[in-house]
Amino acid sequence: GTGSSILSALQDLFWLSKSKVEKQLQIISVLQWVLTFLIMGVACTLILMYILCTDCWVIAALYLAWLVFDWNTPKKGGRRSQWVRNWAIWRYFRDYFPIRLVKTHNLLTTRNYIFGYHPHGIMGLGAFCNFSTEATGVSQKFPGIRPYLATLAGNFRMPILRDYLMSGGICPVNRDSIDYILSKNGTGNAIIIVVGGAAESLNCTPGKNSVTLKNRKGFVKLALRHGADLVPVYSFGENEVYKQVIFEEGSWGRWVQKKFQKYIGFAPCIFHGRGLFSSNTWGLLPYSKPITTVVGEPITIPKMDNPSQREVDFYHNIYVDSLIKLFDKYKSKFGLPETEVLEVN
């Protein structure tokens, strides 16, 4: 009767309210990460400098003393925190898009690995969620494997930001850090390198599947020097979450971007997503498009102390072929037509 109708209406209202709350939590979780990516390092540096000029200067001085003492920690595997990696906020972050991690093969804990992550996208959202948090269950899918997402070494010179990054298992993408993890940290380590880097981010745009890889061979040489197996990884949807102004080669805009990339390490992109309160307005929030990260079959790599260029080229070609095969095998399952071709630049 009337009572059951009222109860049903209240239940509908309750679930609608819960759905809205979850959506807002998803937006907040993504927004905090975007702001972290864009401004946390600079903001923390400025705040620390300001505190040094106040009556609380002792706090800043103590932190700076700790910073000097702890300076080389990022190069030695960092200081990951399972508590931070398991924060509930990362599950809301995952569900906003949503982001999924697909395992295709088992990984042996007696080996070390270098994952080549493609494409970079604007911010590498899939790489962060899948390998710097436990939101998509990387530790359950690959038991005994410790993932280390490699990013710009300059980020680890920023106060507070460096500690936040290390807590997620993020390390500098430089030779010292990678050599330490692959040679002095036992086995079962997986370093995730976004191979295309800043150069690849300049060309990412919705509907385009291209990777910067032809002349990126340093990660293959590192794999050979340490006998670490190479694993191709492709994230379907990574390029769909932001729209970007693409400057043509030879234009002033591309010249400025390349100069930044050469001297600072990153390339400034002019991009936009959706607004905070509406998906119909422009803003910094990424569009909620699915991102599916597929981890391919490992390529067994022998250990060579001084690999020749010919040997590097040989295994690089194998890697490129494996990445293309991975893309072709899964593209139709994740919304792309069978005719879609992965462009390798």
Side-chain angles (χ1 to χ4, degrees):
T2 303
S4 60
S5 299
I6 293 174
L7 181 60
S8 178
L10 288 173
Q11 288 175 336
D12 290 342
L13 182 63
F14 171 77
W15 287 113
L16 179 63
S17 176
K18 183 180 179 181
S19 175
K20 285 184 177 180
V21 169
E22 287 187 348
K23 187 61 180 176
Q24 293 306 313
L25 288 172
Q26 291 169 13
I27 289 173
I28 291 169
S29 68
V30 175
L31 178 63
Q32 68 82 26
W33 190 86
V34 170
L35 294 178
T36 297
F37 183 91
L38 295 176
I39 66 171
M40 183 176 177
V42 174
C44 288
T45 302
L46 293 175
I47 291 171
L48 195 67
M49 292 172 62
Y50 171 75
I51 294 174
L52 278 171
C53 301
T54 69
D55 293 339
C56 297
W57 65 270
V58 175
I59 297 174
L62 287 172
Y63 178 80
L64 288 174
W66 160 253
L67 194 62
V68 172
F69 174 79
D70 195 55
W71 190 253
N72 289 322
T73 298
K75 299 177 184 178
K76 297 180 178 180
R79 188 170 46 246
R80 74 173 56 217
S81 165
Q82 286 302 117
W83 175 65
V84 174
R85 288 175 60 89
N86 281 287
W87 277 354
I89 195 172
W90 305 131
R91 294 192 290 275
Y92 289 112
F93 182 97
R94 171 199 66 195
D95 293 340
Y96 172 85
F97 297 94
I99 296 174
R100 291 176 55 210
L101 180 65
V102 176
K103 170 185 174 181
T104 63
H105 290 79
N106 292 324
L107 299 181
L108 299 174
T109 57
T110 55
R111 300 285 293 174
N112 283 324
Y113 301 90
I114 293 180
F115 287 19
Y117 184 92
H118 313 268
H120 182 286
I122 295 292
M123 296 184 184
L125 293 159
F128 171 80
C129 184
N130 285 307
F131 302 113
S132 294
T133 80
E134 294 296 332
T136 56
V138 63
S139 294
Q140 287 72 44
K141 288 182 170 69
F142 300 104
I145 302 297
R146 293 180 298 276
Y148 293 86
L149 177 61
T151 188
L152 290 175
N155 289 325
F156 295 89
R157 301 186 188 105
M158 303 283 191
I160 309 300
L161 175 63
R162 67 189 293 278
D163 302 287
Y164 190 40
L165 294 177
M166 283 193 291
S167 68
I170 300 177
C171 68
V173 62
N174 58 30
R175 181 169 173 175
D176 289 344
S177 177
I178 294 172
D179 282 349
Y180 183 91
I181 293 170
L182 294 180
S183 63
K184 299 179 181 178
N185 202 40
T187 59
N189 302 293
I191 297 179
I192 297 88
I193 299 177
V194 186
V195 178
E200 191 172 82
S201 68
L202 298 179
N203 295 313
C204 70
T205 187
K208 186 174 184 179
N209 288 283
S210 66
V211 296
T212 301
L213 183 56
K214 281 184 179 179
N215 297 316
R216 300 295 175 107
K217 301 179 181 180
F219 74 105
V220 178
K221 190 172 184 178
L222 280 170
L224 285 165
R225 288 181 63 246
H226 293 285
D229 294 348
L230 288 171
V231 182
V233 179
Y234 197 85
S235 257
F236 295 90
E238 185 73 64
N239 285 346
E240 307 299 316
V241 297
Y242 280 111
K243 295 178 181 179
Q244 180 183 189
V245 177
I246 304 292
F247 293 102
E248 297 295 329
E249 290 291 340
S251 67
W252 68 269
R254 182 53 64 98
W255 180 84
V256 170
Q257 288 176 323
K258 287 189 173 181
K259 288 298 180 182
F260 264 84
Q261 178 190 338
K262 181 179 179 180
Y263 294 109
I264 301 179
F266 74 93
C269 301
I270 299 178
F271 65 93
H272 74 84
R274 53 156 289 182
L276 181 59
F277 301 106
S278 172
S279 59
N280 297 321
T281 58
W282 288 11
L284 289 176
L285 278 176
Y287 294 104
S288 52
K289 304 288 186 180
I291 298 175
T292 305
T293 302
V294 183
V295 180
E297 181 177 4
I299 303 164
T300 302
I301 301 294
K303 189 177 186 300
M304 303 178 184
D305 291 335
N306 294 294
S308 66
Q309 189 59 51
R310 183 178 178 181
E311 290 164 335
V312 171
D313 291 343
F314 175 77
Y315 285 101
H316 181 268
N317 289 334
I318 293 176
Y319 178 85
V320 173
D321 290 342
S322 296
L323 179 65
I324 293 172
K325 288 177 182 176
L326 179 71
F327 178 84
D328 288 339
K329 182 177 180 179
Y330 288 93
K331 60 186 178 184
S332 61
K333 294 182 181 179
F334 303 118
L336 298 178
E338 283 289 349
T339 55
E340 184 72 17
V341 176
L342 179 62
E343 181 183 331
V344 180
N345 300 313

